[in-house]
PDB file of all heavy atoms in Angstrom:
ATOM      1  N   CYS A  78       2.050   5.001  -9.262  1.00 98.00           N
ATOM      2  CA  CYS A  78       1.468   4.666 -10.552  1.00 98.00           C
ATOM      3  C   CYS A  78       2.582   4.375 -11.564  1.00 98.00           C
ATOM      4  O   CYS A  78       3.548   5.142 -11.666  1.00 98.00           O
ATOM      5  CB  CYS A  78       0.613   5.829 -11.049  1.00 98.00           C
ATOM      6  SG  CYS A  78      -0.204   5.474 -12.617  1.00 98.00           S
ATOM      7  N   HIS A  80       2.566   4.877 -14.544  1.00 98.00           N
ATOM      8  CA  HIS A  80       2.584   5.878 -15.614  1.00 98.00           C
ATOM      9  C   HIS A  80       3.589   6.977 -15.305  1.00 98.00           C
ATOM     10  O   HIS A  80       4.593   7.114 -16.004  1.00 98.00           O
ATOM     11  CB  HIS A  80       1.175   6.451 -15.819  1.00 98.00           C
ATOM     12  CG  HIS A  80       1.111   7.489 -16.893  1.00 98.00           C
ATOM     13  ND1 HIS A  80       0.324   8.602 -16.793  1.00 98.00           N
ATOM     14  CD2 HIS A  80       1.767   7.583 -18.078  1.00 98.00           C
ATOM     15  CE1 HIS A  80       0.483   9.323 -17.894  1.00 98.00           C
ATOM     16  NE2 HIS A  80       1.344   8.731 -18.682  1.00 98.00           N
ATOM     17  N   GLU A  81       3.370   7.737 -14.238  1.00 97.00           N
ATOM     18  CA  GLU A  81       4.285   8.839 -13.928  1.00 97.00           C
ATOM     19  C   GLU A  81       4.906   8.737 -12.546  1.00 97.00           C
ATOM     20  O   GLU A  81       5.618   9.635 -12.123  1.00 97.00           O
ATOM     21  CB  GLU A  81       3.566  10.185 -14.085  1.00 97.00           C
ATOM     22  CG  GLU A  81       3.247  10.497 -15.549  1.00 97.00           C
ATOM     23  CD  GLU A  81       2.655  11.872 -15.749  1.00 97.00           C
ATOM     24  OE1 GLU A  81       2.207  12.496 -14.762  1.00 97.00           O
ATOM     25  OE2 GLU A  81       2.627  12.316 -16.910  1.00 97.00           O
ATOM     26  N   CYS A 102      -6.055   5.423 -10.593  1.00 97.00           N
ATOM     27  CA  CYS A 102      -5.124   6.531 -10.369  1.00 97.00           C
ATOM     28  C   CYS A 102      -5.885   7.828 -10.585  1.00 97.00           C
ATOM     29  O   CYS A 102      -6.517   8.020 -11.630  1.00 97.00           O
ATOM     30  CB  CYS A 102      -3.931   6.434 -11.315  1.00 97.00           C
ATOM     31  SG  CYS A 102      -2.784   7.812 -11.121  1.00 97.00           S
ATOM     32  N   ARG A 104      -4.850  10.671 -11.278  1.00 95.00           N
ATOM     33  CA  ARG A 104      -4.280  11.637 -12.226  1.00 95.00           C
ATOM     34  C   ARG A 104      -4.835  11.447 -13.639  1.00 95.00           C
ATOM     35  O   ARG A 104      -5.402  12.362 -14.205  1.00 95.00           O
ATOM     36  CB  ARG A 104      -2.758  11.522 -12.228  1.00 95.00           C
ATOM     37  CG  ARG A 104      -2.190  11.773 -10.842  1.00 95.00           C
ATOM     38  CD  ARG A 104      -0.712  11.936 -10.789  1.00 95.00           C
ATOM     39  NE  ARG A 104      -0.227  11.805  -9.422  1.00 95.00           N
ATOM     40  CZ  ARG A 104      -0.489  12.664  -8.455  1.00 95.00           C
ATOM     41  NH1 ARG A 104      -1.180  13.728  -8.689  1.00 95.00           N
ATOM     42  NH2 ARG A 104      -0.040  12.467  -7.231  1.00 95.00           N
ATOM     43  N   HIS A 105      -4.674  10.270 -14.198  1.00 96.00           N
ATOM     44  CA  HIS A 105      -5.146  10.065 -15.576  1.00 96.00           C
ATOM     45  C   HIS A 105      -6.042   8.845 -15.676  1.00 96.00           C
ATOM     46  O   HIS A 105      -6.200   8.277 -16.749  1.00 96.00           O
ATOM     47  CB  HIS A 105      -3.954   9.951 -16.544  1.00 96.00           C
ATOM     48  CG  HIS A 105      -2.934  11.021 -16.335  1.00 96.00           C
ATOM     49  ND1 HIS A 105      -1.693  10.783 -15.795  1.00 96.00           N
ATOM     50  CD2 HIS A 105      -3.001  12.363 -16.568  1.00 96.00           C
ATOM     51  CE1 HIS A 105      -1.016  11.920 -15.697  1.00 96.00           C
ATOM     52  NE2 HIS A 105      -1.781  12.892 -16.152  1.00 96.00           N
ATOM     53  N   ALA A 107      -5.997   5.650 -14.863  1.00 97.00           N
ATOM     54  CA  ALA A 107      -5.633   4.249 -15.103  1.00 97.00           C
ATOM     55  C   ALA A 107      -6.344   3.385 -14.071  1.00 97.00           C
ATOM     56  O   ALA A 107      -6.555   3.818 -12.925  1.00 97.00           O
ATOM     57  CB  ALA A 107      -4.124   4.065 -14.988  1.00 97.00           C
ATOM     58  N   PRO A 120      -3.168   5.046 -19.434  1.00 98.00           N
ATOM     59  CA  PRO A 120      -1.897   5.281 -20.128  1.00 98.00           C
ATOM     60  C   PRO A 120      -0.805   4.278 -19.794  1.00 98.00           C
ATOM     61  O   PRO A 120       0.188   4.214 -20.520  1.00 98.00           O
ATOM     62  CB  PRO A 120      -1.511   6.696 -19.684  1.00 98.00           C
ATOM     63  CG  PRO A 120      -2.309   6.966 -18.473  1.00 98.00           C
ATOM     64  CD  PRO A 120      -3.554   6.144 -18.563  1.00 98.00           C
TER      65      PRO A 120
HETATM   66  S1  LIG B  16       0.033   9.103 -13.322  1.00 76.21           S
HETATM   67 FE1  LIG B  16      -1.409   7.484 -12.995  1.00 76.21          FE
HETATM   68  S2  LIG B  16      -2.478   7.355 -14.828  1.00 76.21           S
HETATM   69 FE2  LIG B  16      -1.059   8.943 -15.181  1.00 76.21          FE
END
Side-chain angles (χ1 to χ4, degrees):
C78 182
H80 180 218
E81 291 185 344
C102 178
R104 301 191 196 293
H105 313 109

